[in-house]
C-alpha cells in the first residue's frame, strides 16, 4: 500500500508543479503573440488530448516526469509565411527572456500560494524546546526547557527550523549565536561553536551531533509493565510516572537506567519518587527500592529494577502550530518563500564548493516517499511539501545549464551583450554539455534514491 500511495502522491505532486510551470511559459508566449503547438504534461504517448480554440494541443502523456510547451519555431521546421510573425524565433530578445523566465516565475508564485494555503489550514509541528542538552550544546550553556527562538539570523518557530539552521551552521563550521527563552522566561543568547563538529558529521542529524535532544523526542518515564519477582514488583505500579531516582530528577525514561545503576552499585535502598493517579487524583509518592546488579554474557553488569516503558512506536502528538488569518498569511507566505529560496540556493552553492554532501541529491523515489509521508500527516503538510518542491523546481530551472530555462536565459543575455544571437553551432555544443550535466545529475539522484532505499 505504501508503494501505491507513494506512486499516487508522486503523480499528483509532479502533475501540479509541471502544469503550473508549463502554464507560465504558455500564458506569456500567447501574450507575446507566439503560436503554441502543444502543451504537454508528461512525456511519451498521449493518454488524453484536446485541441483548444487557438489550435493548441493540450496533452496528458504517459511518463509523468515533466512536461513541455512546443511553440512555432522556424529552427524546427518550415513555417508558412502567414504565421512567421507568430514564430518564437521572430520575437524580440526581451520577449524570449520573458517566455523562458515565465515557468520558474510561475513556480515561485505557486510556492507563495501553497504556503498561504498551508498557513491558513495550520501547519502542525513540534515546538523548538530543548529536552536534553549535552556535548557542544551543554558547553554553550543550553539547558533542558530552553525554547530556541533564533539561530544566527534565522528565526526558529519549530524544531524543524532548529535542525535546518544547525545543519547550515555546521556546514559552514561557524560560531553561531542562539537566542533562547529559558524555562524561567528569561531571554538569553548562547553561542554554539560548530567548528567542533567532526568532519564527517551527518547534516540531517546536526542537532543530535551538537548534543541537542528535542523535548518531543523524550520518552515519558511512565511504567507500562513490571516483571514479576523483580525489585519493583509489589512496590511500583503500572501507570506510575517516575519523577526521581535517589534524588536524581528524571525527565526521560532513558534517565532512569544510569540512576538505577548508581543506586544498585551502592547496595543500599533508595527512594523512587513517582506520581500515581488513583480515582482521578494524582499523588506524589516516595517509595524505597533496592535494584539488583545482574551480570551479562559479555561480563558487564546491568542494574535491574524490573520495569518497562510505554511502547507503541507512534510519534508524540504535535505541540505547536503555525496558523494565520487570510490577510496575515500573505506576508508570511512571501517571507517563507524567500527563506526557502535562500536555503535552496545556499545548499546548491555548498554542494558545488564541496561543503555539503552530494548524497542529499534525491530523485523520484525519495520524492514519491516524501509525498506519501507528508500526505499522511495532513493537508497542510502536503501543501508545504509541494511548496518546497515548487521553489526547488524554479531554482533548478534557473541554473545556467543549456536545456534548462536558465540555459536559454544565458543565451539571451549573451545575445543582448553582443548584439546578435549565438551561432547554431555554439548553441548545439552547449546543448550537448547541458545534456551531459543533466544525465549525470539524474544518475546521481537515482543512485542516491536506490542507496537510501
Amino acid at each position: 500500500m505504501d508503494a501505491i500511495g507513494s506512486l499516487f502522491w508522486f503523480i499528483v505532486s509532479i502533475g501540479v508543479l509541471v502544469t503550473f510551470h508549463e502554464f507560465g511559459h504558455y500564458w506569456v508566449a500567447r501574450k507575446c503573440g507566439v503560436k503554441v503547438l502543444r502543451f504537454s504534461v508528461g512525456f511519451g504517448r498521449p493518454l488524453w488530448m484536446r485541441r483548444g480554440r487557438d489550435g493548441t494541443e493540450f496533452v496528458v502523456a504517459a511518463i509523468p516526469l515533466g512536461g513541455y510547451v512546443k511553440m512555432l519555431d522556424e529552427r524546427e521546421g518550415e513555417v508558412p509565411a502567414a504565421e512567421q510573425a507568430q514564430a518564437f524565433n521572430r520575437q524580440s530578445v526581451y520577449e524570449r527572456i520573458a517566455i523562458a523566465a515565465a515557468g520558474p516565475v510561475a513556480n515561485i508564485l505557486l510556492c507563495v500560494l501553497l504556503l498561504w494555503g498551508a498557513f491558513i489550514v495550520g501547519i502542525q509541528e513540534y515546538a523548538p524546546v530543548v529536552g536534553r542538552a549535552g556535548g557542544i550544546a551543554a558547553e554553550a550553556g543550553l539547558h533542558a526547557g530552553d525554547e530556541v527562538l533564533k539561530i544566527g539570523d534565522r528565526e526558529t518557530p519549530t524544531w524543524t527550523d532548529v535542525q535546518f539552521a544547525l545543519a547550515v551552521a555546521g556546514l559552514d563550521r561557524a560560531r553561531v549565536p542562539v537566542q533562547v527563552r529559558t524555562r524561567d522566561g528569561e531571554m538569553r543568547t548562547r553561542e554554539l561553536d560548530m567548528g567542533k563538529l567532526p568532519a564527517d558529521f551527518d547534516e540531517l542529524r546536526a542537532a543530535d551531533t551538537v548534543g541537542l535532544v528535542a523535548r518531543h523526542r523524550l520518552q515519558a518515564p511512565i511504567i507500562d509493565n513490571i516483571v514479576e519477582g523483580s525489585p519493583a514488583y509489589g512496590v511500583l505500579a503500572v501507570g506510575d510516572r517516575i519523577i526521581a531516582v535517589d534524588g536524581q530528577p528524571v525527565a526521560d525514561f532513558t534517565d532512569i537506567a544510569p540512576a538505577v545503576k548508581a543506586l544498585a552499585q551502592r547496595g543500599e535502598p533508595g527512594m523512587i519518587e513517582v506520581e500515581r493517579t488513583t480515582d482521578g487524583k494524582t499523588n506524589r509518592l516516595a517509595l524505597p527500592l533496592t535494584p539488583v546488579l545482574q551480570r551479562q554474557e559479555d561480563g558487564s553488569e546491568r542494574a535491574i529494577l524490573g520495569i518497562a516503558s510505554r511502547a507503541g512506536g507512534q510519534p508524540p502528538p504535535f505541540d505547536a502550530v503555525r496558523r494565520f488569518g487570510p490577510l496575515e498569511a500573505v506576508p508570511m507566505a512571501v517571507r517563507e518563500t524567500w527563506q526557502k529560496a535562500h536555503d535552496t540556493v545556499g545548499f546548491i552553492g555548498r554542494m558545488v564548493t564541496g561543503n555539503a554532501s552530494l548524497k542529499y541529491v534525491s530523485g523520484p523515489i525519495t520524492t514519491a516517499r516524501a509525498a506519501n509521508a507528508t500526505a499522511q500527516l495532513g493537508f497542510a503538510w502536503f501543501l508545504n511539501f509541494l511548496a518546497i518542491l515548487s521553489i526547488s523546481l524554479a531554482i533548478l530551472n534557473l541554473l545556467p545549464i543549456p536545456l534548462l530555462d536558465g540555459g536559454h536565459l544565458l543565451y539571451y543575455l549573451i545575445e543582448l551583450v553582443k548584439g546578435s544571437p549565438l551561432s547554431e553551432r555554439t548553441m548545439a555544443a552547449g546543448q550537448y554539455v547541458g545534456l551531459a550535466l543533466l544525465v549525470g545529475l539524474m544518475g546521481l539522484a537515482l543512485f542516491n534514491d536506490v542507496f537510501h532505499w
Side-chain angles (χ1 to χ4, degrees):
M1 292 300 294
D2 281 347
I4 296 174
S6 295
L7 179 61
F8 172 78
W9 289 112
F10 175 77
I11 292 174
V12 170
S13 301
I14 297 301
V16 170
L17 300 182
V18 169
T19 299
F20 268 81
H21 182 93
E22 301 305 336
F23 182 78
H25 291 309
Y26 168 80
W27 187 80
V28 175
R30 295 295 297 134
K31 289 296 180 180
C32 291
V34 176
K35 182 175 182 179
V36 178
L37 303 178
R38 174 172 284 193
F39 181 121
S40 178
V41 177
F43 300 107
R45 184 173 64 85
L47 300 177
W48 174 88
M49 179 185 296
R50 184 179 70 83
R51 189 178 299 275
R53 292 180 179 179
D54 58 1
T56 303
E57 293 178 344
F58 294 91
V59 174
V60 176
I63 305 175
L65 293 177
Y68 62 92
V69 170
K70 184 178 181 181
M71 292 171 262
L72 190 68
D73 196 314
E74 291 177 297
R75 296 168 299 180
E76 297 181 4
E78 187 175 348
V79 176
E83 296 183 344
Q84 287 179 356
Q86 300 181 67
F88 176 79
N89 63 289
R90 291 290 184 106
Q91 309 309 306
S92 73
V93 66
Y94 295 105
E95 289 175 318
R96 283 178 279 141
I97 287 174
I99 294 170
V105 170
N107 281 124
I108 294 172
L109 294 176
L110 175 61
C111 181
V112 174
L113 178 63
L114 291 168
L115 288 171
W116 177 78
F119 284 143
I120 289 177
V121 175
I123 306 175
Q124 292 187 316
E125 247 279 16
Y126 292 112
V129 179
V130 177
R132 181 186 294 114
I136 299 172
E139 292 175 11
L142 289 163
H143 300 284
D146 285 350
E147 181 183 1
V148 182
L149 304 176
K150 198 172 184 180
I151 297 179
D153 59 357
R154 182 190 183 102
E155 294 183 0
T156 53
T158 70
W159 190 259
T160 299
D161 293 299
V162 171
Q163 291 177 303
F164 195 91
L166 289 176
V168 172
L171 291 172
D172 295 338
R173 294 296 192 272
R175 296 182 69 91
V176 59
V178 180
Q179 184 180 343
V180 302
R181 181 187 290 115
T182 68
R183 184 175 288 174
D184 298 328
E186 298 179 353
M187 304 297 290
R188 291 285 186 269
T189 298
R190 315 298 187 192
E191 188 173 77
L192 281 173
D193 186 359
M194 305 302 282
K196 294 182 178 180
L197 289 173
D200 59 346
F201 88 99
D202 185 344
E203 294 94 329
L204 296 183
R205 297 180 60 84
D208 293 335
T209 309
V210 300
L212 283 180
V213 178
R215 181 180 64 184
H216 69 269
R217 287 182 55 194
L218 299 182
Q219 187 178 13
I222 300 175
I223 300 173
D224 185 58
N225 184 48
I226 299 176
V227 178
E228 186 174 352
S230 68
Y233 189 72
V235 181
L236 301 179
V238 171
D240 283 353
R241 184 186 188 98
I242 298 179
I243 304 301
V245 175
D246 200 30
Q248 297 296 316
V250 171
D252 177 29
F253 204 89
T254 58
D255 292 335
I256 298 175
V260 168
K261 185 175 182 179
L263 180 58
Q265 289 174 335
R266 202 177 69 192
E268 299 177 1
M271 288 295 179
I272 309 295
E273 297 177 52
V274 302
E275 285 183 349
R276 180 177 297 174
T277 302
T278 306
D279 297 330
K281 185 178 181 181
T282 300
N283 298 307
R284 184 159 182 162
L285 308 174
L287 306 169
L289 266 178
T290 305
V292 297
L293 284 173
Q294 187 177 85
R295 189 167 297 279
Q296 307 298 299
E297 293 182 0
D298 60 1
S300 63
E301 290 184 327
R302 180 186 176 193
I304 300 297
L305 198 59
I307 61 174
S309 65
R310 287 188 171 176
Q314 296 297 319
F318 294 118
D319 55 2
V321 60
R322 300 182 70 188
R323 181 182 288 117
F324 306 97
L327 293 179
E328 189 182 6
V330 174
M332 292 302 299
V334 172
R335 180 180 177 184
E336 189 74 7
T337 297
W338 167 255
Q339 183 67 66
K340 291 184 186 302
H342 180 269
D343 292 340
T344 303
V345 172
F347 202 71
I348 291 174
R350 290 178 178 89
M351 284 194 290
V352 171
T353 59
N355 289 338
S357 174
L358 294 177
K359 66 182 179 181
Y360 297 118
V361 176
S362 57
I365 296 176
T366 300
T367 301
R369 295 175 67 190
N372 185 47
T374 53
Q376 305 311 312
L377 287 172
F379 186 53
W381 271 81
F382 185 63
L383 291 179
N384 184 61
F385 169 74
L386 284 181
I388 294 172
L389 278 188
S390 191
I391 197 67
S392 299
L393 179 62
I395 291 170
L396 287 174
N397 268 281
L398 287 173
L399 293 177
I401 299 175
L403 295 182
L404 297 180
D405 295 327
H408 294 301
L409 290 172
L410 177 62
Y411 286 161
Y412 303 146
L413 291 175
I414 294 174
E415 181 179 340
L416 276 176
V417 172
K418 69 188 293 282
S420 61
L422 290 171
S423 67
E424 293 289 336
R425 183 176 180 180
T426 300
M427 287 193 289
Q431 301 290 75
Y432 284 117
V433 172
L435 180 61
L437 288 173
L438 290 179
V439 169
L441 185 62
M442 291 172 61
L444 175 63
L446 288 172
F447 172 81
N448 288 340
D449 271 2
V450 174
F451 181 78
H452 291 155
W453 193 21

